[in-house]
Every structure is written in C-alpha cells, then in structure tokens.
Amino acid sequence: MSAPSPWADAGLAAALLAVDPVGLGGLALRARHGPVRETWLAGFRSLLPEGTPQRRLPPRTDDERLLGGLDLVATLDAGRPVASRGLLAECDGGVVTLTMAERAERGLVARLTRALDTGEVRTERDGLSRVSPTRIAVLALDEGAEADERPPAALLDRLAFRIDLSAVTAREATSLPYNAQDVAIARAALPRETLPVEATEALVATAAAFGIGSARAALLALRTAQALRALLRLAPEEAAEIAARLVLAPRATQIPSEASEPEEAPPDPPDPGEEETESAEDTVSRLTDRVLEATEAAIPAGLLEALSADAKGGREGDLGRAGAERQAPDRGRPIGARPGRPGGGRRIDIVATLRAAAPWQRLRADGGPARVHLRAGDLRIRRFKRRSASATVFVVDASGSTAMARLAEAKGAVEILLAEAYVRRDLVALVAFRGDGADVLLPPTAAPALARRRLAELPGGGGTPLAAGIDAAAALARRLAERGTAPQLVLLTDGRANIDRRGHPGRPAATEDATASARAARAAGLQALVIDTGPRPRPEAAALAKALGGPYLALPRADAHRLSAAARAARAL
C-alpha cells in the first residue's frame, strides 16, 4: 500500500484536528516560513468554527502572560487583589499556536503538557489561587533547519499528528479539499461514532509491534479513527488503517519482527451445508495485519535509522547546546523576580514590587496625599539566567608512528568545531603530549584565524606521557571553569602509557599515574570523552574512560567530521 502525498495527509490532518481539536491534542507541523506553510495555516483556520479562540505563543512566554496573575492596574484602582486571565485560559476551547516549537523552553513545555493532560490551569501568585478551564489544542510550528532540531518529545507525545511539509513545493500546496461545512457536520456526528473492539485491539497491537511505548499513541489513533468515520463515513477497518498511518507511523521505533509461529494442524473440513463464519480472534488478526501493512508503508524514509542513531548517541536535538544555563544577578535572560533588597549587583524589579504592594494600599492609606505605600517586604529584585560559554579541550596522543595521522584528525576536528563555536563565541583548545611532557599547542580561542596559524605545525613522535597530558588538560579546564566557562575534555589515545609523571619510562608506573590523573580529573567534576584511536579497541583506553567517568568511543579510522560529531554528542550525555 502506498501512502498519499504529504500535502494530502496534511490536509486530512487539518480537517480531523478541526473536528476534534481537544480530543486529538494538536499537531506538529514541520515547515519553514513560506507560502506552503501559510497556505496550510490559512486552510486550517478556515475549517475552525467561527469564534474559536486562537492565540499565538512565542517560545519564551513568561508565566504571567501564560497563566495569568495579578492585574496591577485594576488592583491599584480597586484597592484589592484583582486577577488577570492568562493566555491559556483565554484560549479555552481553542487552538494555541506555538511558534518555533523546537526552541520552546522546558518550563513552557511543562505547563502546556499539564494543560493538555488535565484540561485546566492552576495559578497561585501574589496570594491569589485560581483554577481556570483550559481545554486546548496545540499547533506546534517546527521551523528547525536541521534534522536534529525538533520540538520536545514530551509535547510531541501529546499531539496526534506530525506533518512534515519540508519537501512540498508551492505548486503542490493547493487549497485544502475540505470546508467548514464538512467539519461542522462531522463535529455533530462525532459523539455518536464508535469503533469496534476488533479495530481498537488492532491499533493497540500495531503500536506495540512498531515499538511505540507510550499508551497515548494508541488512544490518539483511536480518537483519530472516530473522527475519520465522522468526517468521511469510512468503515471501521479503513478508518483504523488511515489512523495508524497518520498517528502511529511517525512514532515508529522499529520494524515489526517476523517471528515464525509453530505450524498448526490444518482445521477439519466443515460439514456439508454448514456456513463458514470468521471468529473474533481471526477478525482481529486479519485487521491487525492490514493496519500493520498500512503503517509500515507510511513510515518516513530514514526515520528508523535516525532513531537508532539517537539511541546510541543521545538525543540529537540536544547536540550543540554548549554550556549550561545558570542564574545571574545582573544580566542575561529575565526569569522573574524574588523578594530581596537591591545592591551588590542586584537590581530592583519595579513592576514586581508594585504588584506585591498593590493589594495592601487601602490598609496602608494614611489620609495624606495619594501615593503608593511601600514596605521592605514588598521589594522584589530581578532574576536573570544566562548560558555559560563552553570550551572543548582536545587532548591528543602525539607519540609513536601514527602520531601525525591522529594530529591531522584532531586538527580537522578543531577547525570544524571552531567554525561552529565562532557563532556562539565558544572556545576550542588543543593539548598534545609526547616525549616526557605535554604542551598546550592551542590556548582556548574562538578566533579561526589565530587557530589556523597555531595549528599549522604540530610536532609528533616519542613516548606516551599520558598522565602529563591529562594533568595539563585538567589544569587548563579548571582555569576555564573558574572564569565561568563549561569545559569538556576529549582524549584521543589508545590508552597505552609508557612515561610516568617524573618522565621515566616504564609501563606499569605510567599506567598507574595515568589512572590517578584520570580519577583526579573526575573528582574535580570535569566532563570527559575518551576516543580510542588504536587500530583495534584497547582495554587500556576503556579503563581510562572508566576512571574519568566519561563515555568511551572506539574510532580506529576516525576522520575530522566523526571526531567533531563525537565531541558534540558527548556534551549531551
């Protein structure tokens, strides 16, 4: 069975979501801003009943705008607390459009998912407690340019459809083949639509066969099948097939295994004149096979390979996010206010201070001139959060006959990371160890021109003072951490040390010193990745990774692109 075009599925998903927006949760639409996306959005909005609330939600909407809180102007005017409705409460029964969903903050996603799960919003702010009904559908606009940029999994799990229009051209994006009257008729018929038990069991079995662990997927597929019957008057079997294609196929994590079943004895021939009837078990099996075939045919090309890569290397959507966010008193992204006094770099939040004082103005009035009465407990200071810069410190084994190959690979990886770091002003450094010591060949820098000059000539050959290399890199990383930078060590070595800390040859003492240095780096809280560059994976390198408390990766034929990708992936672990 061949799947319809992406635009046809996008149009059908739009109509189904308009029929049952709250029951289906919403839709994730992957498309860059342009005529294709705008045509789809205009078509979807035309299908919604007149008067349906619709709100746009930026990816960094604060809690006050989202959930509501104290209405400062009304409170000051009335002399008593007056609550304001948040965006979610204003959109009860409607559609919230989350723009740039791939960049949505965790706090915002948590509040959206709670609203989708419970159908209400609880607000406790400035002494006010309020519960507002919030039955919403979320339209998540995914504008990611790369395959690893996508909305958070917690949000996608609660949305019925995942539509990708990236490959659809403007010529293909015609008007949607549905209208508001079709949707209105389907809405009226939806409460009467049901699905037989056999079709429900087939959807659940299909979800399990494709490795979909969330029970929400099967429930959303069931709601989709009911909406399909209301909209298109389909038979239950056909509705289940299309629902599986739309809801389950994009969530697949595996291809169903074809386990051989034991052969059974052929059934006894029926008695003459006796009419053959299909048992309920046979019906479920037959329908499950049909739904499985329809779902497998609709799985997007390359999806399972990408999911396999995610499982091995961590969630790709987190790669490249350098540095952790931390609170800062004076600058960064505002994240609200807290009680406190200004000073020492802390700044007063005038609006939050007035909000805290507003409910008490009538009690504090002294009969004098009209003015705002403040107390020390009303003072609020601003809070900020900013991302700390990151630094990747390559620690390269420059000893032996293959040293120059490893240095060339490290040089290429450094230049690749530098190109990415230049945009974020992140840092890259290079430490090489050989002979009886280690040298910082490239100090932490984000300047590509300087890096290329320093990387032009890289020495190699001699013994393997692994402990000296780890110590030099750890010292550099600690200095970076003291300046507020998040360092990461990437060791390229086969782990076979033969020079100890004092510069004396001897493999046992050198190995013991290297292990002690690795444990010290781990105790200092340094993040590290060990890349085994030997011709075959070595137990010494794996033991070194264990002592460092970091991941181990064997890349005997690594090139610059694989090394830089490994460094980015390690930051997500």
Side-chain angles (χ1 to χ4, degrees):
M1 177 182 293
S2 60
S5 68
W7 182 254
D9 274 349
L12 180 56
L16 294 172
L17 186 59
V19 170
D20 187 15
V22 175
L24 295 176
L27 180 148
L29 181 68
R30 186 173 181 84
R32 303 303 297 273
H33 181 77
V36 174
R37 192 182 79 172
E38 294 307 311
T39 299
W40 188 93
L41 289 173
F44 171 66
R45 290 165 183 152
S46 70
L47 299 177
L48 295 174
E50 187 176 353
T52 300
Q54 300 182 53
R55 298 289 186 274
R56 290 183 69 86
L57 189 65
R60 289 187 174 179
T61 304
D62 58 37
D63 283 354
E64 183 180 343
R65 180 69 187 102
L66 185 70
L67 307 177
L70 191 70
D71 189 324
L72 180 58
V73 176
T75 298
L76 289 174
D77 184 55
R80 58 180 177 81
V82 177
S84 64
R85 299 185 72 197
L87 186 147
L88 292 182
E90 293 173 356
C91 204
D92 181 34
V95 178
V96 174
T97 300
L98 176 61
T99 60
M100 293 186 291
E102 76 282 359
R103 301 184 183 182
E105 296 184 340
R106 293 180 180 177
L108 175 61
V109 172
R111 285 154 181 77
L112 282 176
T113 54
R114 178 180 174 84
L116 289 169
D117 289 343
T118 64
E120 64 182 23
V121 169
R122 294 180 177 272
T123 308
E124 294 184 6
R125 190 182 180 95
D126 299 315
L128 296 176
S129 181
R130 184 186 183 96
V131 177
S132 304
T134 310
R135 297 160 301 149
I136 61 170
V138 175
L139 178 56
L141 301 183
D142 179 2
E143 303 177 19
E146 303 294 336
D148 57 4
E149 293 179 302
R150 53 183 179 265
L155 179 61
L156 291 177
D157 187 40
R158 290 161 171 83
L159 309 183
F161 308 117
R162 304 177 187 180
I163 301 299
D164 190 347
L165 299 181
S166 303
V168 176
T169 64
R171 179 175 297 180
E172 296 173 301
T174 57
S175 59
L176 301 185
Y178 305 95
N179 55 51
Q181 184 178 1
D182 297 332
V183 171
I185 295 173
R187 273 182 171 242
L190 182 62
R192 301 188 298 271
E193 295 296 343
T194 58
L195 210 63
V197 174
E198 294 81 7
T200 303
E201 292 181 1
L203 288 174
V204 173
T206 300
F210 282 93
I212 303 172
S214 173
R216 292 190 183 94
L219 293 174
L220 290 172
L222 176 60
R223 296 288 300 227
T224 300
Q226 293 171 332
L228 279 164
R229 297 198 67 193
L231 179 66
L232 302 178
R233 298 287 185 252
L234 298 177
E237 294 82 359
E238 191 175 0
E241 287 183 46
I242 299 176
R245 189 186 78 231
L246 292 176
V247 178
L248 302 182
R251 292 170 159 83
T253 62
Q254 66 183 29
I255 294 294
S257 59
E258 299 180 357
S260 59
E261 298 181 357
E263 295 185 2
E264 298 181 358
D268 296 333
D271 295 334
E274 181 181 353
E275 184 178 352
E276 292 189 33
T277 58
E278 186 179 46
S279 66
E281 184 177 350
D282 293 337
T283 302
V284 172
S285 177
R286 175 181 55 80
L287 182 55
T288 301
D289 290 341
R290 289 182 56 181
V291 175
L292 281 170
E293 291 177 6
T295 306
E296 186 169 351
I299 294 178
L303 173 65
L304 298 181
E305 290 79 1
L307 291 170
S308 177
D310 284 357
K312 293 179 181 179
R315 181 178 183 271
E316 292 184 3
D318 291 335
L319 303 187
R321 291 189 180 181
E325 286 193 335
R326 57 173 183 160
Q327 293 191 16
D330 53 351
R331 59 192 176 92
R333 178 170 56 84
I335 58 171
R338 64 176 179 84
R341 294 175 178 270
R346 298 184 298 271
R347 292 184 282 176
I348 188 171
D349 190 322
I350 297 177
V351 174
T353 299
L354 292 176
R355 288 185 184 280
W360 311 101
Q361 294 308 297
R362 182 168 292 181
L363 295 176
R364 296 175 182 175
D366 55 7
R371 59 191 180 91
V372 177
H373 299 267
L374 297 179
R375 301 289 187 270
D378 301 330
L379 295 178
R380 300 290 187 271
I381 59 174
R382 302 181 70 181
R383 293 190 302 157
F384 300 91
K385 181 178 288 187
R386 65 184 180 190
R387 183 183 63 83
S388 60
S390 75
T392 300
V393 181
F394 284 90
V395 191
V396 182
D397 183 350
S399 63
S401 59
T402 59
M404 297 311 296
R406 285 195 292 265
L407 286 173
E409 294 158 0
K411 175 182 176 181
V414 168
E415 292 191 355
I416 291 173
L417 288 179
L418 270 172
E420 301 170 358
Y422 181 73
V423 179
R424 302 188 304 265
R425 294 299 187 268
D426 290 338
L427 306 175
V428 175
L430 178 63
V431 175
F433 57 92
R434 66 187 185 94
D436 58 0
D439 298 310
V440 179
L441 299 180
L442 178 67
T445 181
L450 173 62
R452 292 189 184 96
R453 289 197 301 268
R454 299 299 298 270
L455 291 173
E457 296 182 0
L458 299 179
T464 309
L466 182 54
I470 297 175
D471 290 341
L476 178 60
R478 283 193 292 268
R479 291 195 296 270
L480 288 167
E482 290 171 358
R483 298 201 296 263
T485 301
Q488 175 204 16
L489 305 182
V490 178
L491 276 75
L492 283 74
T493 179
D494 59 6
R496 304 182 68 189
N498 56 24
I499 302 295
D500 63 17
R501 278 201 182 102
R502 296 173 296 173
H504 298 162
R507 196 172 298 280
T511 301
E512 184 178 347
D513 285 352
T515 302
S517 297
R519 289 173 178 167
R522 179 179 183 179
L526 298 179
Q527 184 183 13
L529 163 70
V530 176
I531 298 178
D532 188 345
T533 56
R536 288 181 297 273
R538 302 288 308 182
E540 295 90 341
L544 180 65
K546 183 177 180 180
L548 282 165
Y552 165 78
L553 183 62
L555 294 178
R557 291 178 296 276
D559 57 19
H561 290 280
R562 295 187 70 187
L563 291 179
S564 60
R568 289 193 302 271
R571 193 173 299 283
L573 298 177

